[in-house]
Amino acid sequence: MSFKSLGLSDALLKAVSEKGYTTPSPIQEKAIPEVLKGRDVLASAQTGTGKTAGFTLPMLHILSQKPTQGKPKIKALVLTPTRELAAQIYDNIREYSKYIDVRSTVIFGGVNQNPQVRTIRQGVDILVATPGRLLDLENQGLLSLSNIEFLVLDEADRMLDMGFIHDIKKVLKMIPVKRQNLLFSATFNKDIKKFASSILTNPVLVEATPENTTAEKVDQKTYRVDKSRKTEMLTKFIKEGNWDQVLVFTRTKHGANRLSQKLEKAGISSAAIHGNKTQNARVKALAGFKSGKVRVLVATDIAARGLDIPLLPYVINYELPNVPEDYVHRIGRTGRAGASGQAISLVGVDEVDYVRGIEKLLGEKLHSEVLEGFQPTDTIEQLKAQAAENKAKHQQGRRKTRAKREGGNGSQEGREKRNNRNRNRR
């Protein structure tokens, strides 16, 4: 099947051809005709399956068939959970619309709102947005959602995970009831199905892969290793394998920073990307990673959503996620667009239950190995004892800091201050 057979305009076909695409992906082949028919669509598609074009191309086709009189008004709203994904979708829309008269822009937090507002005031047909910035500008009266004809929720599962459900409900109250809804999600859990049923009208279900499965061309392995030796093992893999473009996942922001610093000390160029980083820092880190200046990108789950990194060969789970579905999202970063990739998980003794949860979700066992020289010796009891010791040291450090602040190392003056404060609390 060709893109032409899907019913898209010649102007869109020209733009698609210039991007080097000749044959639609399975999700595009299934979704585009349904969107063109005006149907609500509930689509299950992993990152890297071409889902963005699955909703942008038919939406652009429909909007281009209705010439705007005067300054354009926002007719299509695309909501995404992260700034990176919003920017990626906007770039796609801009590239596909180069030969048609449809204007678009993107808004998200973390940057000055004034340039975004100026663009909106000039008139746009399509607005790509993160929920927070959208509601902020709407509350200020800087944009109107009263003319919306299309509502697209991309990565809907992640939006629910990130607690955007209340923001989305607020947005739904601001837009016309009569509209076409398109909901795309990497996974179909009970919450997503319940949420979809509340906003979609007689939707057609489109699936590119069975729900909650991982890409077929991803080689998945787990290595049992002591928690304290994970960095050493990761460094060995990267250096001896001469790996480039390695995306590494940690569970926490502080963990991402620490690991990135350790890799730098080991002579491996690295950058961390997470929610505490400014937008400029995140853009710089991603640009360095794509260009090859940064060899390893260490990321948290939220920051990695929407990263557009073509042909990414390696994804490393430095720490396994405690939510099995996040494993699917993580390793979906590699093995994209028909390319092969490796997904390696470093598993400590305290993460074995996470592996079982992932295997249950996938319906298959993960291949497990022990690397020579890295035989694990940790026990749960040892890790618990170490955690308790670290907690005690942390609390002791806080007490000392407080004592110095209140009069110096537990002096009489410091004790009196503490006693007075405790009496006041009573």
Short mmCIF file of all heavy atoms in Angstrom, two decimals, residues 33-88:
data_model
loop_
_atom_site.label_atom_id
_atom_site.label_comp_id
_atom_site.label_asym_id
_atom_site.label_seq_id
_atom_site.Cartn_x
_atom_site.Cartn_y
_atom_site.Cartn_z
N PRO A 33 -7.17 6.30 7.26
CA PRO A 33 -8.50 6.25 6.63
C PRO A 33 -9.64 6.50 7.60
O PRO A 33 -10.64 7.13 7.25
CB PRO A 33 -8.55 4.82 6.06
CG PRO A 33 -7.13 4.41 5.89
CD PRO A 33 -6.42 5.05 7.03
N GLU A 34 -9.50 6.02 8.85
CA GLU A 34 -10.56 6.20 9.84
C GLU A 34 -10.69 7.66 10.26
O GLU A 34 -11.80 8.18 10.44
CB GLU A 34 -10.31 5.31 11.07
CG GLU A 34 -10.26 3.82 10.78
CD GLU A 34 -11.58 3.28 10.23
OE1 GLU A 34 -12.64 3.93 10.44
OE2 GLU A 34 -11.56 2.22 9.58
N VAL A 35 -9.56 8.33 10.41
CA VAL A 35 -9.59 9.76 10.76
C VAL A 35 -10.22 10.55 9.62
O VAL A 35 -11.03 11.46 9.84
CB VAL A 35 -8.18 10.28 11.08
CG1 VAL A 35 -8.24 11.78 11.41
CG2 VAL A 35 -7.55 9.52 12.24
N LEU A 36 -9.87 10.21 8.39
CA LEU A 36 -10.43 10.91 7.22
C LEU A 36 -11.94 10.73 7.12
O LEU A 36 -12.64 11.58 6.60
CB LEU A 36 -9.75 10.42 5.93
CG LEU A 36 -8.28 10.81 5.74
CD1 LEU A 36 -7.71 10.16 4.49
CD2 LEU A 36 -8.13 12.32 5.67
N LYS A 37 -12.43 9.62 7.65
CA LYS A 37 -13.89 9.37 7.65
C LYS A 37 -14.60 10.18 8.73
O LYS A 37 -15.83 10.20 8.79
CB LYS A 37 -14.17 7.88 7.90
CG LYS A 37 -13.77 6.96 6.77
CD LYS A 37 -14.00 5.50 7.18
CE LYS A 37 -13.45 4.52 6.16
NZ LYS A 37 -13.58 3.11 6.64
N GLY A 38 -13.83 10.81 9.61
CA GLY A 38 -14.43 11.59 10.69
C GLY A 38 -14.70 10.79 11.95
O GLY A 38 -15.38 11.27 12.86
N ARG A 39 -14.13 9.57 12.03
CA ARG A 39 -14.37 8.71 13.19
C ARG A 39 -13.50 9.11 14.38
O ARG A 39 -12.39 9.60 14.22
CB ARG A 39 -14.04 7.25 12.84
CG ARG A 39 -14.87 6.63 11.73
CD ARG A 39 -16.25 6.24 12.20
NE ARG A 39 -16.25 5.35 13.34
CZ ARG A 39 -16.18 4.02 13.25
NH1 ARG A 39 -16.08 3.42 12.07
NH2 ARG A 39 -16.24 3.26 14.34
N ASP A 40 -14.01 8.89 15.57
CA ASP A 40 -13.16 8.93 16.77
C ASP A 40 -12.28 7.70 16.75
O ASP A 40 -12.74 6.61 16.38
CB ASP A 40 -14.02 8.94 18.03
CG ASP A 40 -14.54 10.33 18.37
OD1 ASP A 40 -14.44 11.22 17.52
OD2 ASP A 40 -15.06 10.50 19.50
N VAL A 41 -11.01 7.86 17.15
CA VAL A 41 -10.06 6.75 17.06
C VAL A 41 -9.39 6.52 18.41
O VAL A 41 -8.94 7.47 19.07
CB VAL A 41 -8.98 7.02 15.99
CG1 VAL A 41 -7.88 5.96 16.04
CG2 VAL A 41 -9.60 7.06 14.59
N LEU A 42 -9.35 5.26 18.81
CA LEU A 42 -8.59 4.83 19.99
C LEU A 42 -7.47 3.95 19.47
O LEU A 42 -7.72 2.85 18.98
CB LEU A 42 -9.49 4.06 20.95
CG LEU A 42 -8.82 3.46 22.19
CD1 LEU A 42 -8.14 4.52 23.03
CD2 LEU A 42 -9.83 2.68 23.02
N ALA A 43 -6.24 4.43 19.53
CA ALA A 43 -5.12 3.74 18.90
C ALA A 43 -4.08 3.30 19.92
O ALA A 43 -3.69 4.06 20.80
CB ALA A 43 -4.47 4.63 17.85
N SER A 44 -3.64 2.07 19.78
CA SER A 44 -2.56 1.53 20.59
C SER A 44 -1.33 1.40 19.71
O SER A 44 -1.33 0.65 18.74
CB SER A 44 -2.94 0.16 21.16
OG SER A 44 -1.82 -0.44 21.78
N ALA A 45 -0.30 2.17 20.04
CA ALA A 45 0.91 2.13 19.23
C ALA A 45 2.11 2.53 20.06
O ALA A 45 2.06 3.52 20.79
CB ALA A 45 0.78 3.06 18.03
N GLN A 46 3.18 1.76 19.96
CA GLN A 46 4.41 2.08 20.66
C GLN A 46 5.11 3.24 20.00
O GLN A 46 4.90 3.55 18.82
CB GLN A 46 5.35 0.87 20.67
CG GLN A 46 4.87 -0.30 21.50
CD GLN A 46 5.79 -1.48 21.33
OE1 GLN A 46 5.41 -2.48 20.76
NE2 GLN A 46 7.00 -1.36 21.81
N THR A 47 6.00 3.90 20.74
CA THR A 47 6.85 4.92 20.17
C THR A 47 7.69 4.30 19.07
O THR A 47 8.19 3.20 19.21
CB THR A 47 7.77 5.51 21.25
OG1 THR A 47 6.96 6.04 22.30
CG2 THR A 47 8.64 6.61 20.69
N GLY A 48 7.84 5.02 17.95
CA GLY A 48 8.65 4.52 16.85
C GLY A 48 7.86 3.80 15.79
O GLY A 48 8.43 3.29 14.82
N THR A 49 6.54 3.74 15.94
CA THR A 49 5.71 3.05 14.94
C THR A 49 5.15 4.01 13.90
O THR A 49 4.44 3.58 12.99
CB THR A 49 4.53 2.32 15.62
OG1 THR A 49 3.77 3.28 16.38
CG2 THR A 49 5.03 1.23 16.56
N GLY A 50 5.45 5.30 14.03
CA GLY A 50 4.93 6.27 13.08
C GLY A 50 3.57 6.81 13.46
O GLY A 50 2.84 7.33 12.62
N LYS A 51 3.23 6.74 14.75
CA LYS A 51 1.88 7.14 15.18
C LYS A 51 1.64 8.63 15.00
O LYS A 51 0.50 9.05 14.77
CB LYS A 51 1.63 6.73 16.63
CG LYS A 51 2.54 7.37 17.65
CD LYS A 51 2.25 6.83 19.04
CE LYS A 51 3.24 7.32 20.07
NZ LYS A 51 3.16 8.75 20.34
N THR A 52 2.71 9.47 15.11
CA THR A 52 2.50 10.91 14.96
C THR A 52 1.93 11.25 13.59
O THR A 52 0.96 12.02 13.47
CB THR A 52 3.83 11.68 15.18
OG1 THR A 52 4.34 11.36 16.48
CG2 THR A 52 3.61 13.17 15.09
N ALA A 53 2.49 10.66 12.55
CA ALA A 53 1.95 10.89 11.20
C ALA A 53 0.57 10.27 11.07
O ALA A 53 -0.23 10.73 10.24
CB ALA A 53 2.90 10.30 10.15
N GLY A 54 0.27 9.28 11.89
CA GLY A 54 -1.04 8.63 11.85
C GLY A 54 -2.18 9.56 12.18
O GLY A 54 -3.31 9.37 11.73
N PHE A 55 -1.89 10.60 13.00
CA PHE A 55 -2.96 11.58 13.27
C PHE A 55 -2.70 12.94 12.63
O PHE A 55 -3.64 13.66 12.30
CB PHE A 55 -3.23 11.72 14.78
CG PHE A 55 -2.09 12.23 15.62
CD1 PHE A 55 -1.79 13.58 15.66
CD2 PHE A 55 -1.34 11.36 16.40
CE1 PHE A 55 -0.75 14.06 16.46
CE2 PHE A 55 -0.30 11.82 17.20
CZ PHE A 55 0.00 13.19 17.22
N THR A 56 -1.43 13.32 12.43
CA THR A 56 -1.16 14.64 11.85
C THR A 56 -1.53 14.71 10.38
O THR A 56 -2.10 15.73 9.93
CB THR A 56 0.31 15.04 12.03
OG1 THR A 56 1.15 14.06 11.44
CG2 THR A 56 0.67 15.19 13.49
N LEU A 57 -1.23 13.68 9.60
CA LEU A 57 -1.49 13.74 8.15
C LEU A 57 -2.99 13.86 7.83
O LEU A 57 -3.38 14.76 7.07
CB LEU A 57 -0.88 12.52 7.46
CG LEU A 57 0.65 12.53 7.34
CD1 LEU A 57 1.16 11.21 6.76
CD2 LEU A 57 1.11 13.70 6.47
N PRO A 58 -3.86 13.00 8.39
CA PRO A 58 -5.28 13.15 8.07
C PRO A 58 -5.88 14.44 8.63
O PRO A 58 -6.76 15.05 8.02
CB PRO A 58 -5.93 11.92 8.69
CG PRO A 58 -4.99 11.47 9.76
CD PRO A 58 -3.62 11.81 9.23
N MET A 59 -5.39 14.87 9.79
CA MET A 59 -5.87 16.12 10.38
C MET A 59 -5.51 17.30 9.48
O MET A 59 -6.33 18.19 9.22
CB MET A 59 -5.25 16.30 11.77
CG MET A 59 -5.75 17.50 12.56
SD MET A 59 -5.18 17.42 14.29
CE MET A 59 -3.40 17.59 14.05
N LEU A 60 -4.27 17.33 8.97
CA LEU A 60 -3.85 18.38 8.05
C LEU A 60 -4.65 18.35 6.76
O LEU A 60 -5.01 19.39 6.21
CB LEU A 60 -2.35 18.24 7.75
CG LEU A 60 -1.38 18.64 8.88
CD1 LEU A 60 0.03 18.16 8.57
CD2 LEU A 60 -1.40 20.15 9.07
N HIS A 61 -4.94 17.14 6.27
CA HIS A 61 -5.72 17.00 5.05
C HIS A 61 -7.10 17.63 5.22
O HIS A 61 -7.55 18.42 4.37
CB HIS A 61 -5.85 15.53 4.67
CG HIS A 61 -6.73 15.29 3.48
ND1 HIS A 61 -6.24 15.25 2.20
CD2 HIS A 61 -8.08 15.10 3.38
CE1 HIS A 61 -7.25 15.04 1.35
NE2 HIS A 61 -8.37 14.94 2.05
N ILE A 62 -7.77 17.30 6.30
CA ILE A 62 -9.13 17.81 6.53
C ILE A 62 -9.13 19.32 6.70
O ILE A 62 -9.95 20.03 6.13
CB ILE A 62 -9.75 17.11 7.76
CG1 ILE A 62 -9.97 15.61 7.47
CG2 ILE A 62 -11.07 17.77 8.15
CD1 ILE A 62 -10.39 14.79 8.67
N LEU A 63 -8.19 19.83 7.50
CA LEU A 63 -8.13 21.28 7.73
C LEU A 63 -7.79 22.05 6.46
O LEU A 63 -8.29 23.17 6.25
CB LEU A 63 -7.10 21.60 8.82
CG LEU A 63 -7.45 21.14 10.24
CD1 LEU A 63 -6.29 21.40 11.19
CD2 LEU A 63 -8.71 21.82 10.75
N SER A 64 -6.95 21.47 5.60
CA SER A 64 -6.57 22.16 4.36
C SER A 64 -7.72 22.23 3.36
O SER A 64 -7.68 23.04 2.42
CB SER A 64 -5.37 21.47 3.72
OG SER A 64 -5.71 20.17 3.26
N GLN A 65 -8.73 21.38 3.54
CA GLN A 65 -9.89 21.39 2.64
C GLN A 65 -10.90 22.45 3.02
O GLN A 65 -11.90 22.66 2.32
CB GLN A 65 -10.57 20.01 2.66
CG GLN A 65 -9.67 18.83 2.31
CD GLN A 65 -9.03 18.96 0.94
OE1 GLN A 65 -9.73 19.14 -0.06
NE2 GLN A 65 -7.71 18.88 0.89
N LYS A 66 -10.65 23.14 4.17
CA LYS A 66 -11.57 24.18 4.63
C LYS A 66 -10.82 25.50 4.75
O LYS A 66 -10.30 25.83 5.82
CB LYS A 66 -12.15 23.81 6.00
CG LYS A 66 -12.85 22.46 6.06
CD LYS A 66 -13.25 22.16 7.51
CE LYS A 66 -13.90 20.79 7.62
NZ LYS A 66 -14.24 20.46 9.04
N PRO A 67 -10.71 26.24 3.67
CA PRO A 67 -9.96 27.50 3.68
C PRO A 67 -10.47 28.45 4.77
O PRO A 67 -11.68 28.58 4.98
CB PRO A 67 -10.21 28.09 2.29
CG PRO A 67 -10.57 26.90 1.44
CD PRO A 67 -11.31 25.97 2.34
N THR A 68 -9.56 29.09 5.45
CA THR A 68 -9.91 30.01 6.54
C THR A 68 -10.15 31.41 6.01
O THR A 68 -9.36 31.92 5.21
CB THR A 68 -8.78 30.05 7.58
OG1 THR A 68 -8.58 28.74 8.11
CG2 THR A 68 -9.12 31.00 8.72
N GLN A 69 -11.22 32.04 6.43
CA GLN A 69 -11.50 33.43 6.09
C GLN A 69 -10.97 34.31 7.22
O GLN A 69 -11.40 34.19 8.36
CB GLN A 69 -13.02 33.64 5.92
CG GLN A 69 -13.65 32.78 4.82
CD GLN A 69 -13.11 33.10 3.45
OE1 GLN A 69 -12.82 34.26 3.15
NE2 GLN A 69 -12.96 32.08 2.60
N GLY A 70 -10.04 35.19 6.89
CA GLY A 70 -9.47 36.05 7.92
C GLY A 70 -8.40 35.34 8.74
O GLY A 70 -7.83 34.33 8.31
N LYS A 71 -8.16 35.85 9.94
CA LYS A 71 -7.12 35.28 10.80
C LYS A 71 -7.54 33.90 11.30
O LYS A 71 -8.66 33.72 11.79
CB LYS A 71 -6.88 36.21 11.98
CG LYS A 71 -5.68 35.81 12.84
CD LYS A 71 -5.27 36.93 13.80
CE LYS A 71 -6.32 37.16 14.85
NZ LYS A 71 -5.87 38.16 15.86
N PRO A 72 -6.66 32.88 11.17
CA PRO A 72 -7.02 31.52 11.61
C PRO A 72 -7.34 31.47 13.10
O PRO A 72 -6.77 32.20 13.90
CB PRO A 72 -5.76 30.71 11.29
CG PRO A 72 -5.01 31.51 10.29
CD PRO A 72 -5.31 32.93 10.58
N LYS A 73 -8.27 30.59 13.44
CA LYS A 73 -8.59 30.31 14.83
C LYS A 73 -8.19 28.88 15.14
O LYS A 73 -8.14 28.04 14.25
CB LYS A 73 -10.09 30.51 15.08
CG LYS A 73 -10.55 31.95 14.86
CD LYS A 73 -12.05 32.08 15.06
CE LYS A 73 -12.50 33.53 14.83
NZ LYS A 73 -13.97 33.69 14.97
N ILE A 74 -7.91 28.60 16.39
CA ILE A 74 -7.44 27.26 16.76
C ILE A 74 -8.56 26.24 16.54
O ILE A 74 -9.58 26.27 17.23
CB ILE A 74 -6.98 27.23 18.24
CG1 ILE A 74 -5.88 28.27 18.47
CG2 ILE A 74 -6.47 25.84 18.61
CD1 ILE A 74 -5.54 28.48 19.94
N LYS A 75 -8.34 25.34 15.59
CA LYS A 75 -9.34 24.32 15.27
C LYS A 75 -8.92 22.93 15.74
O LYS A 75 -9.76 22.04 15.88
CB LYS A 75 -9.59 24.28 13.76
CG LYS A 75 -10.05 25.59 13.14
CD LYS A 75 -10.35 25.38 11.67
CE LYS A 75 -10.49 26.71 10.95
NZ LYS A 75 -9.19 27.41 10.81
N ALA A 76 -7.62 22.74 15.94
CA ALA A 76 -7.13 21.43 16.37
C ALA A 76 -6.21 21.61 17.56
O ALA A 76 -5.31 22.46 17.56
CB ALA A 76 -6.39 20.74 15.23
N LEU A 77 -6.43 20.81 18.59
CA LEU A 77 -5.62 20.85 19.81
C LEU A 77 -4.97 19.49 20.02
O LEU A 77 -5.67 18.47 20.10
CB LEU A 77 -6.48 21.21 21.02
CG LEU A 77 -5.80 21.16 22.39
CD1 LEU A 77 -4.67 22.18 22.47
CD2 LEU A 77 -6.83 21.39 23.51
N VAL A 78 -3.65 19.47 20.12
CA VAL A 78 -2.91 18.24 20.39
C VAL A 78 -2.29 18.37 21.77
O VAL A 78 -1.43 19.23 22.00
CB VAL A 78 -1.80 18.00 19.34
CG1 VAL A 78 -1.07 16.68 19.63
CG2 VAL A 78 -2.37 18.00 17.93
N LEU A 79 -2.72 17.53 22.71
CA LEU A 79 -2.19 17.55 24.07
C LEU A 79 -1.16 16.44 24.26
O LEU A 79 -1.40 15.29 23.87
CB LEU A 79 -3.32 17.38 25.08
CG LEU A 79 -4.18 18.60 25.41
CD1 LEU A 79 -5.24 18.22 26.44
CD2 LEU A 79 -3.34 19.75 25.92
N THR A 80 -0.03 16.78 24.87
CA THR A 80 1.02 15.81 25.13
C THR A 80 1.51 15.98 26.57
O THR A 80 1.36 17.05 27.16
CB THR A 80 2.22 16.02 24.18
OG1 THR A 80 2.95 17.18 24.59
CG2 THR A 80 1.76 16.20 22.75
N PRO A 81 2.13 14.95 27.14
CA PRO A 81 2.56 15.04 28.54
C PRO A 81 3.87 15.80 28.77
O PRO A 81 4.11 16.30 29.85
CB PRO A 81 2.71 13.58 28.96
CG PRO A 81 3.03 12.86 27.68
CD PRO A 81 2.28 13.59 26.60
N THR A 82 4.75 15.88 27.75
CA THR A 82 6.07 16.47 27.97
C THR A 82 6.41 17.52 26.92
O THR A 82 5.88 17.52 25.81
CB THR A 82 7.18 15.41 27.95
OG1 THR A 82 7.29 14.86 26.63
CG2 THR A 82 6.91 14.31 28.95
N ARG A 83 7.33 18.39 27.29
CA ARG A 83 7.80 19.43 26.38
C ARG A 83 8.49 18.84 25.16
O ARG A 83 8.31 19.31 24.04
CB ARG A 83 8.78 20.35 27.12
CG ARG A 83 8.14 21.13 28.25
CD ARG A 83 9.16 21.89 29.07
NE ARG A 83 9.76 21.07 30.11
CZ ARG A 83 10.55 21.53 31.08
NH1 ARG A 83 10.83 22.82 31.12
NH2 ARG A 83 11.04 20.75 31.99
N GLU A 84 9.30 17.79 25.39
CA GLU A 84 10.04 17.18 24.29
C GLU A 84 9.10 16.60 23.24
O GLU A 84 9.31 16.77 22.04
CB GLU A 84 10.99 16.09 24.81
CG GLU A 84 12.21 16.61 25.54
CD GLU A 84 11.92 17.10 26.94
OE1 GLU A 84 10.86 16.76 27.51
OE2 GLU A 84 12.75 17.85 27.49
N LEU A 85 8.07 15.90 23.70
CA LEU A 85 7.12 15.30 22.77
C LEU A 85 6.34 16.39 22.03
O LEU A 85 6.08 16.27 20.83
CB LEU A 85 6.17 14.36 23.51
CG LEU A 85 5.15 13.62 22.63
CD1 LEU A 85 5.84 12.84 21.53
CD2 LEU A 85 4.28 12.70 23.48
N ALA A 86 5.96 17.44 22.74
CA ALA A 86 5.23 18.54 22.10
C ALA A 86 6.06 19.15 20.98
O ALA A 86 5.55 19.39 19.87
CB ALA A 86 4.87 19.60 23.14
N ALA A 87 7.34 19.39 21.25
CA ALA A 87 8.22 19.99 20.24
C ALA A 87 8.39 19.06 19.04
O ALA A 87 8.42 19.49 17.89
CB ALA A 87 9.58 20.30 20.86
N GLN A 88 8.50 17.75 19.32
CA GLN A 88 8.65 16.76 18.25
C GLN A 88 7.43 16.74 17.34
O GLN A 88 7.54 16.73 16.12
CB GLN A 88 8.88 15.38 18.85
CG GLN A 88 8.94 14.25 17.84
CD GLN A 88 8.83 12.90 18.50
OE1 GLN A 88 9.25 12.74 19.64
NE2 GLN A 88 8.28 11.92 17.80
#
